[in-house]
Each structure stands twice: as C-alpha cells, then as structure tokens.
Amino acid sequence: MILKGSQRSGAKNLSEHLMNDKDNDHVALYELRGFVGRDLHEALAEAHAISKGTKCQQYMFSLSFNPPKDQNASEQALLDAIERAEKAVGLDNQPRAIVFHEKEGRRHAHVVWSRIDASTMTAINLPHFKNRLMTLSRELYLEHGWELPDGLRRDGGRSPLNFTLAEWQQAKRLKLDPREIKQSFIEAWQHSDSAKAFQNALEERGYFLAKGDRRGFVALNIEGEVFSVARMVGVKTKEVKAKLGSPEPFDGVDDTRDRIQSKVSDKLHSFIDDVDRKHQQDFEPLKQQRQAMVNTHRDERSKLKAGQREREQREVAERSLRLNKGLRGVWDKVTGQSSKVKGQNEREAWDAAKRDQQQRDDLVKEQMGERRKLQIQIEKLRRKHAQDHRLLAREVSQSMRMAEQSERMQAMERQREQSRYRGPSL
C-alpha cells in the first residue's frame, strides 16, 4: 500500500479533517493510545499542549495507508502495516491515534503520532523517514501479491497521481477529481519536448503556462487557479527547467490571469456554468442513491457494533464465573486450577476478538462491494463531466488565440495606416 507521511502541526485542522464524515462514507476512530483525551480533538490538542514545553514546531507525524484501488485490505492487514511503519520510522510506543476512512468503496487508514517524548520533553528525530516508508511500502505490495505501481518502480514511491490535502481542496473548489487535473498535466508533459510544445499542449487542456513568483513554471486554468508544474507533473523543479528552460520569457501570474479574463467571453463562461449545472442535475439521483446506501451501511455497522458489545459483556461475565472465590478460589490457586482457567479465558477472549474482527471485515467487504458498483456509475458521469470541461477549455484556448491574432492583425493594420498617412520617408 502507498504510505504517505509528513511532520506537521495544526492539531485542530488535522482532527477536523480526519473526523470529516461529509466527504467520507464512513469514519471510525479505531484507537487512541497514550492520550488522556477521549476523542481525537482532545488527543491532538493534548499533543499540542505538551509540545509547548519544547521548541518543536511540527510536533505530530501524520501517515496515511492507501491500499490499491481494486484491493480490500483487511482491518488486521492495516493494523499490521501500522505497527511496522511505527517501528520503521522510530515512533515505538509513542501516543498515537488510528482513524479508518471509507470513500467510494475504498478503505484506508490515517495514523497520527505525537513526536514529543514526554520523559525527556524532546522531539523524536525521524531521519530518512520517506526512504524507510518507501521500502516498507514496496515490501507490503510484494507480500500481498499486489502489482507494484509505476511510482514505486520508478522514483521511490512518489506516484505522480498522488495528491496533497491542499491539492484535493483546490480540485474540490473546481468540482474536478484531483487525479484528472494531474493526468492532464502529465499527458501534456509526456507529449512535449520544448516549452512551446508544452505550452500548446497545456492550452489544449485549458491551462496556461506562466512564470511563478519564485521563478519557476506554473500554469493557470480559466478560473485563474494557479498550479505548480513540477508538483502536478511529479518531477523536481530542476527537471522542469532542464526540459523547458527559463520561465523568464513568460508572463507572470497576474498578467496571465488578466489576459485570460480579458479574452474569455461571457458566452463561454455561461457554457461552463451550463455544463456544471447539467452535471449537478445528472449527479443528483446518484447522490441520493449514495446517501441512502451510506445511511443503510452505517445502520448495519451500528447494529453489529452494539451486538458485538452486548455479546462481549455476556461472554466476559460467563468467563468470570469460572473463577471461584473465597476458599475455593484459594484452593484453585494452590492446585494451579486458577491458572488453567485464566489461560483458557485469555485464549477464548483472543478468539472472540478475532471473531469480532472477522465479522467487521466481512460486513465491510460486502458493503464496499455494493459501494463500488455504484461508484462505477459515478466515475462514468465524472469522466463525461471532465471531457465536457476539456472540450470547453479547448474552445477557450482557441477563442483566446483568435482574439490575440485579431489584435495583432489590427495592430499591423494601424501601423500600415500610419505609414501611409506619414508618407514616404526622405
């Protein structure tokens, strides 16, 4: 599975993001270890408070575990991967929180550790954690028999179609899949051998090359959103410069944004609004079907959880009755009978825990199968929406080129008129 980690601060924002059940079908806080707080908000706020006794700014380590899209990693498989990742980066026994997410028929996990060692009040250093996680990620793919993604084969685990929270939020504003946006950049990059060719390829997809504030290449869409070329393509900045040269000949972000806004006609903007409106109308029945399915699945999980809790309490009570009290209890300890009963109870408790875990996995697997069937319809509609956007973007690019060509011709005509008015030079 793909492991993506980062040292960070921002306890409130992170806890709100991880417990967000509006953008996820299911959110489950699986474990809080080493925290006094009883929910994720309190736990991460506690990590922040403890960090105040140190000079550490990035007092948390956040790590996501993403199995392949077409695979269903069990609860135990995710927990095993978490334990191995914890040892690999050097955060053994540190306070941690585990959250399971499900979205679009896929399950993945998020784990947050506190980096502050409370016994020494110092931050735990995490040297080379990206390389260590890349190695573990590769091992997990091979052990599970999953096909290695190109990113793990090519450049150490950085799939160009992975995206950050900021990129996901940006794509959400634009009502597009972030993978769709990245794919457009990657296709343009792969089919270009110069800055001019890359510029033309981007404009065919509705993006306009510009010079960024930090003297790197960026691109803007017709709404004026700015995208880093290196980040979207998945390569280093020096590789972009090696292929495209210096960005100095290109307009800056503000000038490019002004040029786009001045050239895009109101008519084209109305077309874009029409496409978005039509997409929302087409998506509404699927949206209602998805919400009904999510509600049904949540009810089924709540009933299973309540049933397992009731059964666990009953089984614990039954096992406790096996231990005699009073003089019989003393005699059992002397004869070793008490130790045998305790051993039997522990084995049965372990078997019961594994049984409950298997029941949860079976239910999740069945529900994700239903959700994935619906997701196929949703993805089909999204692809059509993305295709409509690409066609409109192409219209915008052509409209801008025609307008700029017309302006150049008018400027040349004005120069000719001025030359005729002045007459021949002596």
Side-chain angles (χ1 to χ4, degrees):
M1 55 190 75
I2 295 294
L3 310 181
K4 191 168 186 178
S6 63
Q7 299 175 121
R8 59 167 298 161
S9 57
K12 184 174 183 294
N13 288 339
L14 181 58
S15 62
E16 289 177 351
H17 170 64
L18 292 181
M19 297 308 296
N20 175 16
D21 62 359
K22 292 183 179 179
D23 295 318
N24 294 284
D25 296 342
H26 304 281
V27 174
L29 177 59
Y30 181 84
E31 177 191 84
L32 286 179
R33 183 190 73 188
F35 293 107
V36 176
R38 303 180 67 178
D39 60 36
L40 186 63
H41 301 284
E42 292 179 357
L44 299 192
E46 182 183 328
H48 181 214
I50 293 174
S51 74
K52 291 294 187 180
T54 73
K55 295 182 180 181
C56 180
Q57 298 296 317
Q58 296 179 321
Y59 50 89
M60 296 182 294
F61 185 70
S62 175
L63 181 58
S64 63
F65 296 74
N66 292 282
K69 185 176 182 179
D70 58 344
Q71 298 294 331
N72 175 31
S74 68
E75 183 179 294
Q76 190 59 50
L78 288 168
L79 294 175
D80 290 342
I82 290 168
E83 293 293 336
R84 292 170 66 177
E86 178 175 288
K87 291 180 173 58
V89 299
L91 289 170
D92 308 53
N93 300 318
Q94 280 295 108
R96 77 180 182 194
I98 300 176
V99 180
F100 290 148
H101 280 182
E102 285 179 47
K103 182 178 181 180
E104 301 179 351
R106 300 179 64 192
R107 176 164 62 174
H108 60 277
H110 295 270
V111 187
V112 183
W113 287 270
S114 169
R115 292 182 55 220
I116 307 302
D117 185 339
S119 62
T120 61
M121 288 304 291
T122 57
I124 296 175
N125 191 28
L126 307 177
H128 313 297
F129 72 83
K130 291 184 179 180
N131 291 335
R132 294 177 180 181
L133 291 176
M134 179 270 291
T135 300
L136 175 58
S137 180
R138 192 193 309 275
E139 290 174 0
L140 291 170
Y141 266 91
L142 295 174
E143 288 172 10
H144 286 284
W146 298 332
E147 182 179 354
L148 280 170
D150 291 340
L152 281 178
R153 290 195 181 106
R154 186 174 61 245
D155 60 356
R158 288 179 52 233
S159 170
L161 294 185
N162 283 344
F163 45 89
T164 64
L165 174 59
E167 291 167 351
W168 171 79
Q169 290 171 334
Q170 184 181 45
K172 188 177 178 183
R173 289 197 303 271
L174 301 175
K175 303 175 184 177
L176 292 174
D177 189 319
R179 290 164 293 190
E180 179 73 30
I181 299 175
K182 283 207 165 189
Q183 192 65 57
S184 295
F185 276 79
I186 292 168
E187 290 173 355
W189 178 262
Q190 292 174 343
H191 292 87
S192 305
D193 57 3
S194 66
K196 185 63 178 176
F198 185 56
Q199 181 183 27
N200 292 337
L202 279 180
E203 290 187 4
E204 284 294 312
R205 293 161 173 81
Y207 300 93
F208 303 88
L209 203 57
K211 177 179 63 177
D213 296 336
R214 298 182 179 179
R215 297 184 179 180
F217 280 100
V218 297
L220 286 74
N221 66 0
I222 56 177
E223 285 86 4
E225 288 276 348
V226 180
F227 302 85
S228 164
V229 168
R231 189 177 299 116
M232 299 306 289
V233 174
V235 300
K236 296 181 179 179
T237 302
K238 63 181 182 181
E239 295 180 53
V240 176
K241 289 184 178 180
K243 184 171 184 176
L244 305 183
S246 172
E248 290 302 322
F250 291 84
D251 292 336
V253 170
D254 291 338
D255 290 340
T256 303
R257 186 179 285 120
D258 292 342
R259 183 167 64 92
I260 294 171
Q261 293 302 317
S262 66
K263 303 301 180 185
V264 177
S265 67
D266 293 337
K267 187 67 174 177
L268 285 173
H269 274 303
S270 70
F271 286 162
I272 294 171
D273 292 339
D274 288 343
V275 166
D276 289 338
R277 195 177 303 111
K278 179 67 165 55
H279 173 69
Q280 290 177 358
Q281 292 174 353
D282 293 342
F283 187 70
E284 189 60 32
L286 294 176
K287 182 180 178 182
Q288 293 177 2
Q289 187 177 349
R290 181 191 68 84
Q291 190 57 54
M293 182 180 291
V294 168
N295 291 339
T296 300
H297 288 175
R298 288 179 179 178
D299 288 342
E300 290 174 351
R301 295 187 189 198
S302 295
K303 291 177 182 177
L304 176 64
K305 184 177 181 180
Q308 287 185 339
R309 186 186 301 114
E310 182 181 344
R311 183 174 59 189
E312 180 186 13
Q313 292 172 350
R314 185 173 63 252
E315 292 175 345
V316 168
E318 290 173 355
R319 288 193 292 268
S320 66
L321 291 176
R322 297 172 182 168
L323 294 170
N324 292 318
K325 298 179 181 179
L327 291 176
R328 283 191 175 183
V330 174
W331 177 251
D332 286 347
K333 288 182 180 179
V334 172
T335 60
Q337 182 62 25
S338 176
S339 178
K340 292 180 181 179
V341 172
K342 287 181 180 179
Q344 179 185 354
N345 285 350
E346 289 174 357
R347 289 191 297 274
E348 290 184 3
W350 172 256
D351 291 340
K354 300 302 290 182
R355 175 202 62 204
D356 290 350
Q357 184 183 66
Q358 186 61 51
Q359 285 183 335
R360 291 193 298 271
D361 271 336
D362 290 342
L363 178 61
V364 168
K365 185 177 180 179
E366 180 183 350
Q367 290 182 347
M368 286 199 298
E370 295 176 9
R371 182 65 178 83
R372 283 171 179 166
K373 291 178 181 178
L374 177 60
Q375 191 62 29
I376 291 173
Q377 301 177 53
I378 294 173
E379 292 292 344
K380 183 178 180 180
L381 181 58
R382 283 179 177 172
R383 285 194 295 272
K384 184 180 183 306
H385 183 228
Q387 178 66 17
D388 291 341
H389 261 277
R390 281 197 296 269
L391 292 174
L392 278 172
R394 191 171 300 168
E395 290 291 332
V396 169
S397 301
Q398 292 174 353
S399 175
M400 288 181 61
R401 282 198 289 267
M402 290 175 63
E404 290 173 350
Q405 184 179 4
S406 176
E407 287 181 0
R408 286 195 296 269
M409 293 180 66
Q410 290 175 8
M412 292 173 62
E413 185 63 28
R414 286 195 297 269
Q415 289 179 350
R416 285 196 294 268
E417 288 292 335
Q418 290 173 359
S419 297
R420 284 199 296 268
Y421 178 77
R422 286 196 300 266
S425 58
L426 298 176

